[in-house]
């Protein structure tokens, strides 16, 4: 594996449901990636799904563990024997050249006229959702939780100076750089900052997780609806084919060929 979770993980859990290989789990003290299961999403996406949703950008490449695309797709095939990945599978090694592009270029390279109207009209199949391409979401990122600076107004000289949140621990003495007056951080100030940041980061992560889950749910429903549509259309075509076949059978069966003896009582006989 070449994807790992760095120590700054805030345990939001957004990455876990995104992994197509169930490689991510809650560890102690942070989430971890099982290197035996991670394929860097090769076979599924042309990006690392965990990195795409991580609000603090800590799903990163592990420089000590580099694996080739060949190794990673072999692992995906081993983990998902029920899935046919084909040759034009999704992969971050060839961004934008996965299944959709592969199918399109395959079609472009196939000379000649299609054998049947249905073959001509058949859209290129790409993954579970045909040619559907989902819009990318450019998630806004928050800095690390202790990366904020807070402007502090000196009660003595009214000057403002920026202090990193790490300086707002209870009892810490902060000196104004303008008049050198000291301010002691009391528990109420510490409490306000800590509560604001913890609540905000938690809300941020929950909202993003819910957003991702909702999109996944909607996509699954969309795929399911299209599968039902496809099944209904297949059934319709099957019935049409049978109807055409039956009509042809009838025509052939009842054809009054020249010289065919008329049966008594048949529609063109007089007797
Ligand atoms: S890179 Fe993909 S396969 Fe690896 S842990 Fe992240 S989501 Fe899972
Ligand atoms: S999305 Fe990022 S911050 Fe959240 S649990 Fe996963 S690695 Fe940690």
């Amino acid at each position: 594996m070449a994807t790992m979770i760095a120590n700054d993980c805030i345990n939001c859990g957004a990455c876990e449901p995104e992994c197509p290989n169930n490689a991510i789990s809650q560890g102690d003290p942070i989430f971890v990636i099982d290197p035996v299961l991670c394929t860097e999403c090769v076979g599924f996406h042309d990006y690392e799904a965990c990195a795409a949703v991580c609000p603090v950008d800590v799903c990163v490449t592990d420089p000590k563990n580099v694996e080739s695309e060949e190794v990673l797709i072999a692992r995906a095939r081993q983990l998902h024997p029920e899935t046919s990945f084909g040759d034009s599978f999704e992969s971050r090694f060839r961004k934008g050249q996965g299944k959709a592009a592969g199918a399109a270029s395959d079609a472009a390279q196939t000379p000649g006229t299609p054998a049947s109207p249905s073959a001509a009209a058949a859209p290129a199949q790409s993954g579970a959702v045909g040619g559907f391409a989902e819009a990318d979401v450019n998630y806004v990122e928050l800095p690390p939780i202790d990366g904020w600076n807070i402007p502090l107004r000196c009660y003595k000289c009214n000057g403002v100076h920026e202090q990193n949140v790490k300086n707002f621990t209870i009892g810490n003495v902060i000196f104004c750089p303008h008049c050198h007056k000291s301010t002691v951080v009391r528990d109420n100030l510490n409490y306000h900052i800590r509560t604001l940041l913890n609540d905000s980061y938690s809300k941020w992560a929950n909202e993003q997780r819910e957003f991702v889950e909702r999109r996944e749910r909607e996509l699954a429903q969309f795929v399911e609806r299209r599968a039902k549509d496809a099944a209904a259309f297949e059934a319709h075509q099957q019935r049409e084919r049978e109807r055409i076949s039956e009509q042809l059978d009838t025509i052939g069966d009842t054809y009054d060929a020249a010289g065919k003896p008329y049966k008594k009582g048949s529609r063109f006989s007089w007797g």
Side-chain angles (χ1 to χ4, degrees):
M1 77 104 180
T3 307
M4 56 176 272
I5 294 177
N7 292 340
D8 290 331
C9 166
I10 58 169
N11 283 321
C12 70
C15 55
E16 188 181 10
E18 295 305 307
C19 180
N21 300 319
N22 291 324
I24 305 174
S25 58
Q26 172 77 71
D28 183 13
I30 57 169
F31 276 71
V32 290
I33 294 176
D34 185 343
V36 175
L37 298 177
C38 175
T39 63
E40 294 175 38
C41 288
V42 167
F44 296 92
H45 307 295
D46 62 2
Y47 56 90
E48 291 99 318
C50 52
V53 298
C54 180
V56 288
D57 267 346
V58 293
C59 298
V60 293
T61 302
D62 181 359
K64 294 187 198 141
N65 200 350
V66 177
E67 290 178 302
S68 68
E69 182 187 49
E70 204 181 351
V71 168
L72 294 166
I73 189 62
R75 181 174 301 147
R77 290 192 168 114
Q78 196 180 17
L79 291 170
H80 303 275
E82 75 291 351
T83 303
S84 168
F85 291 96
D87 290 332
S88 52
F89 51 84
E90 298 289 353
S91 167
R92 73 178 189 79
F93 293 85
R94 32 187 158 146
K95 230 172 182 32
Q97 298 170 26
K99 282 183 182 169
S105 72
D106 287 349
Q109 287 164 11
T110 306
T113 308
S116 70
S118 57
Q125 294 296 304
S126 164
V129 288
F132 175 72
E134 197 177 16
D136 283 341
V137 179
N138 294 317
Y139 292 101
V140 176
E141 295 172 11
L142 289 178
I145 199 162
D146 58 2
W148 295 88
N149 287 333
I150 299 176
L152 185 65
R153 183 175 296 279
C154 174
Y155 68 92
K156 181 85 173 20
C157 71
N158 215 27
V160 175
H161 51 104
E162 287 214 331
Q163 294 291 327
N164 184 270
V165 288
K166 285 190 267 193
N167 293 336
F168 290 87
T169 51
I170 299 171
N172 189 35
V173 182
I174 298 173
F175 291 94
C176 171
H178 309 297
C179 68
H180 306 294
K181 185 71 188 167
S182 63
T183 299
V184 179
V185 178
R186 300 213 324 256
D187 54 356
N188 56 347
L189 179 57
N190 170 277
Y191 173 82
H192 282 317
I193 294 171
R194 200 159 33 88
T195 307
L196 173 75
L197 284 175
N198 286 344
D199 289 354
S200 301
Y201 272 66
S202 170
K203 178 169 179 274
W204 184 279
N206 284 339
E207 282 180 355
Q208 186 159 321
R209 184 172 61 245
E210 281 165 16
F211 174 78
V212 169
E213 285 172 0
R214 177 165 55 78
R215 279 170 66 91
E216 289 289 317
R217 209 166 40 244
E218 287 171 358
L219 189 57
Q221 287 165 351
F222 172 72
V223 171
E224 189 184 341
R225 200 166 57 243
R226 281 172 62 90
K228 280 185 185 160
D229 277 354
F233 188 65
E234 275 173 35
H236 162 75
Q237 286 194 316
Q238 191 60 37
R239 284 194 300 276
E240 277 299 290
R241 185 196 158 106
E242 283 163 12
R243 186 183 63 78
I244 295 168
S245 174
E246 277 167 18
Q247 287 182 344
L248 289 174
D249 287 352
T250 305
I251 290 172
D253 195 40
T254 59
Y255 177 54
D256 292 325
K260 180 180 175 184
Y262 293 132
K263 273 193 203 158
K264 194 169 179 185
S266 78
R267 49 198 166 119
F268 298 120
S269 70
W270 306 104

